[in-house]
Amino acid sequence: MDAEYWQALCDGDRHASLAAVRRLRSSGLTNSQVISEHILPAQRRVGDLWLEGAWSVAQEHAATAINEGLIHWLGSFSDPPAAGRPLVLVSCLEKESHALPALIVSEALVEAGYRVNYLGGAPEPDDLLRQVLRLKPRAVMFSASLTSSLGRQKRMLNQIRSLGLPVIVGGQGFGGDGSRAEALGATAWCASPAHAVALLETLPERTERLPVPEPTMADEEAAWIEEHRAQIAGYVVAGLRDADHFSDELARSSRSWLVELEGLADHLVGCLSAALVTGDETIMVEAHSWLARVLTARDVDTVLLVEAWSLLAESLRGHPLARAAVASAASYAEQAITDDSDDRPA
């Protein structure tokens, strides 16, 4: 990663960042090389710095906005695709605001000669479906960085599949293989922008028109969770703030991370609905491990997570599958804390 570019990004200096990328491009690097060797590593480091508590949400958002602008600028040098080339619609999933990965895929497709309709982050589902029906694209591609954005997507993906259009998905939220993608009804899962381009060369232009499946009990519980997601997350946050044995802990950690608590609880709830619709229990383990890292980096005792799982379970009365998933995660959390205590020197 280029040092001058990284420093400009840390400073939130849009002009200096652009100057550094101009220099990299003038040195002979292709657009793809600038993105893969500099912008992507920098964006990963930005995410790590937030996770480690070294950067605020505002700093992370500022750097991400600069990187998105740089990718748009690099894309302006691509030759326009021929009018007769296939059209691909690229979008984030509903409620997924991390648009940079989808933007990178869009630019890779343009560079490969495809026409692209890029919808960006957090599309409105009905508008997206209208766009699909109007454009009748070669394929629809979705990006998800957060696993917590998967819980409300199954019907959307299956509705597009029912039209006979290939649906390709990718991003960290889908994990390291195609199992979650398959569970949600996607045609294929891609591991990288290059993989996405390769899939378009091999997938049929139209697929079998599969009927939208009837919702399962797990789907229905996940839908209820998504409908009441804000209230459930609010219940967890309120419970944590009011718990006598955590009030001192929360007060002592007077960092700005407390304003992030609602977002962390929302992520927890979203991961639960994602685990239900995909049938992937590892999502809850991943959610625990991720949140434990966030709390540790902010100098907060991870026993807070056990209380969070308990509060979440309280809000799920009448939803046995969800409660079972939470109970499993709570058991994992308690065991992890016990193991950590056993490993500490006496």
Side-chain angles (χ1 to χ4, degrees), residues 236-259:
V236 173
V237 171
L240 291 176
R241 288 184 179 277
D242 292 343
D244 292 338
H245 51 300
F246 287 122
S247 58
D248 291 341
E249 174 80 5
L250 293 171
R252 181 181 63 79
S253 300
S254 57
R255 291 176 46 85
S256 60
W257 85 271
L258 289 175
V259 302

Side-chain angles (χ1 to χ4, degrees), residues 1 22 27 33 47 74 122 136 148 152 171 204-205 221 227 246 251 280 284 306 316-317 328 339 342:
M1 189 197 321
R22 283 181 185 271
S27 71
Q33 287 174 319
L74 288 167
K136 298 179 176 61
S148 56
R152 63 177 74 230
E205 291 189 6
E221 289 197 18
E227 182 181 354
F246 287 122
D280 186 351
M284 302 303 284
V306 176
L316 298 170
R317 292 187 178 90
S328 177
D339 292 344
D342 290 344

Side-chain angles (χ1 to χ4, degrees), residues 77-90:
F77 293 95
S78 297
D79 294 329
R85 288 288 291 160
L87 172 70
V88 181
L89 189 148
V90 180

Side-chain angles (χ1 to χ4, degrees), residues 168-210:
I168 303 172
V169 300
Q172 289 184 344
F174 284 98
D177 59 36
S179 58
R180 296 175 189 173
E182 182 180 1
L184 291 176
T187 310
W189 165 82
C190 65
S192 67
H195 189 196
V197 173
L199 283 171
L200 287 174
E201 300 299 325
T202 58
L203 286 174
E205 291 189 6
R206 290 294 179 263
T207 58
E208 181 183 359
R209 289 175 173 261
L210 299 175

Side-chain angles (χ1 to χ4, degrees), residues 93-96 125 146-156 184 217-234 265-278 283-284 312 315-316 319 322:
L93 292 176
E94 180 189 357
K95 302 296 183 182
E96 172 66 68
L146 297 178
T147 308
S148 56
S149 67
L150 302 185
R152 63 177 74 230
Q153 311 303 330
K154 190 172 182 178
R155 183 167 180 80
M156 165 71 76
L184 291 176
M217 182 176 174
D219 294 336
E220 291 174 348
E221 289 197 18
W224 181 87
I225 290 169
E226 288 294 333
E227 182 181 354
H228 299 89
R229 184 163 162 173
Q231 297 95 312
I232 296 171
D266 176 77
H267 179 72
L268 201 67
V269 177
C271 284
L272 173 59
S273 60
L276 290 172
V277 297
T278 61
I283 288 176
M284 302 303 284
L312 183 53
S315 68
L316 298 170
H319 297 85

Side-chain angles (χ1 to χ4, degrees), residues 250-332:
L250 293 171
R252 181 181 63 79
S253 300
S254 57
R255 291 176 46 85
S256 60
W257 85 271
L258 289 175
V259 302
E260 303 171 6
L261 189 56
E262 187 171 339
L264 298 177
D266 176 77
H267 179 72
L268 201 67
V269 177
C271 284
L272 173 59
S273 60
L276 290 172
V277 297
T278 61
D280 186 351
E281 295 180 356
T282 66
I283 288 176
M284 302 303 284
V285 176
E286 291 173 5
H288 169 82
S289 299
W290 184 82
L291 285 165
R293 285 185 64 192
V294 171
L295 296 178
T296 299
R298 287 149 182 78
D299 195 29
V300 178
D301 194 331
T302 54
V303 74
L304 194 71
L305 264 175
V306 176
E307 184 72 9
W309 290 124
S310 176
L311 289 163
L312 183 53
E314 288 177 11
S315 68
L316 298 170
R317 292 187 178 90
H319 297 85
L321 295 180
R323 285 177 67 88
V326 171
S328 177
S331 175
Y332 175 83

Side-chain angles (χ1 to χ4, degrees), residues 64-149:
T64 300
I66 290 173
N67 278 339
E68 288 180 356
L70 292 173
I71 293 170
H72 279 297
W73 180 78
L74 288 167
S76 69
F77 293 95
S78 297
D79 294 329
R85 288 288 291 160
L87 172 70
V88 181
L89 189 148
V90 180
S91 175
C92 291
L93 292 176
E94 180 189 357
K95 302 296 183 182
E96 172 66 68
S97 60
H98 295 76
L100 191 141
L103 178 59
I104 291 174
V105 170
S106 296
E107 296 303 338
L109 292 173
V110 171
E111 195 169 13
Y114 288 92
R115 294 184 298 130
V116 173
N117 188 274
Y118 169 67
L119 300 186
E124 202 284 321
D126 289 342
D127 284 347
L128 188 149
L129 283 173
R130 279 192 287 269
Q131 191 80 328
V132 170
L133 290 169
R134 182 177 70 84
L135 297 174
K136 298 179 176 61
R138 160 72 177 88
V140 182
M141 292 190 173
F142 288 104
S143 170
S145 295
L146 297 178
T147 308
S148 56
S149 67

